Amino acid sequence: GAGVSQSPSNKVTEKGKDVELRCDPISGHTALYWYRQSLGQGLEFLIYFQGNSAPDKSGLPSDRFSAERTGGSVSTLTIQRTQQEDSAVYLCASSPLRGPSTDTQYFGPGTRLTVL
Amino acid sequence: KNEVEQSPQNLTAQEGEFITINCSYSVGISALHWLQQHPGGGIVSLFMLSSGKKKHGRLIATINIQEKHSSLHITASHPRDSAVYICAVSPNTGNQFYFGTGTSLTVIP
């Protein structure tokens, strides 16, 4: 079946502009994660959605970052007033049930964001 | 402060060698994951374990909960094993997922 998909695959934007990154999880997966991987850095947790529960936003680095998940499926990560330090690969992952404590995560290919 | 530490950071091996990558963590966990990331590629989950040992093909993952340590072994390494291997833990509390910085493995033919 189809895996996790993300769009766009690459995004180049100017400093100060807003960007939206999209994630389509595997159908039926209730848990969805956003991560960030900066150049030369490890992966960093951003936000977690589980079903219809309130998301865990504890990893968002600033209030310029927000995310929503509509209908328990597609998720959008929005970065407002982008800064150069936001340049990174943004990865989405989904899992069938409760996430990394009980399930294997399936990762998307990522969106490479470059802020000029 | 890094909750997850991996070693070595970089590793070069000859084809056929036995490889070990180590992961130590400092928090109580419900599960530990080993992930593989090929250059320019996505991330694939190799193992999820909370105790003991798991084996898949030439890959073996072990975990010692008391010592807060896990190892990933690759037997009879092959150039296609060249990738970054990432250790990640799911702590007992919260929904965080802490990642190590990865071990970059290069297997030379």
Side-chain angles (χ1 to χ4, degrees), chain A residues 49-95:
Chain A
F49 294 90
Q50 173 58 48
N52 295 319
S53 302
D56 180 342
K57 305 178 182 180
S58 58
L60 294 178
S62 77
D63 58 8
R64 296 186 295 104
F65 288 72
S66 63
E68 62 177 24
R69 188 179 184 192
T70 54
S73 182
V74 172
S75 178
T76 303
L77 177 69
T78 300
I79 309 173
Q80 296 179 308
R81 306 180 301 282
T82 51
Q83 304 293 313
Q84 289 181 331
E85 61 263 28
D86 299 334
S87 296
V89 176
Y90 289 82
L91 291 153
C92 174
S94 71
S95 66

Side-chain angles (χ1 to χ4, degrees), chain B residues 8-74:
Chain B
Q9 187 174 359
N10 293 284
L11 180 58
T12 300
Q14 290 288 332
E15 183 174 356
E17 284 186 6
F18 179 86
I19 289 162
T20 296
I21 300 170
N22 295 298
C23 174
S24 297
Y25 53 92
S26 58
V27 296
I29 68 168
S30 55
L32 181 142
H33 298 246
W34 281 103
L35 310 172
Q36 180 191 56
Q37 185 173 32
H38 281 282
I43 295 175
V44 175
S45 179
L46 298 175
F47 294 104
M48 182 184 71
L49 63 167
S50 55
S51 65
K53 173 181 172 179
K54 286 190 176 181
K55 184 176 189 291
H56 185 254
R58 294 179 294 106
L59 301 177
I60 303 166
T62 64
I63 188 168
N64 185 318
I65 295 294
Q66 287 72 31
E67 294 186 2
K68 292 188 165 62
H69 181 270
S70 175
S71 293
L72 176 68
H73 305 286
I74 304 175

Side-chain angles (χ1 to χ4, degrees), chain A residues 35 37 45 56 100-102, chain B residues 30 33 37 48 95-97 99:
Chain A
Y35 302 103
Q37 188 173 35
F45 163 83
D56 180 342
S101 64
T102 57
Chain B
S30 55
H33 298 246
Q37 185 173 32
M48 182 184 71
N95 301 303
Q96 275 278 7
F97 200 29
F99 296 90

Side-chain angles (χ1 to χ4, degrees), chain B residues 74-85:
Chain B
I74 304 175
T75 62
S77 59
H78 190 276
R80 64 174 174 267
D81 297 326
S82 298
V84 175
Y85 292 83

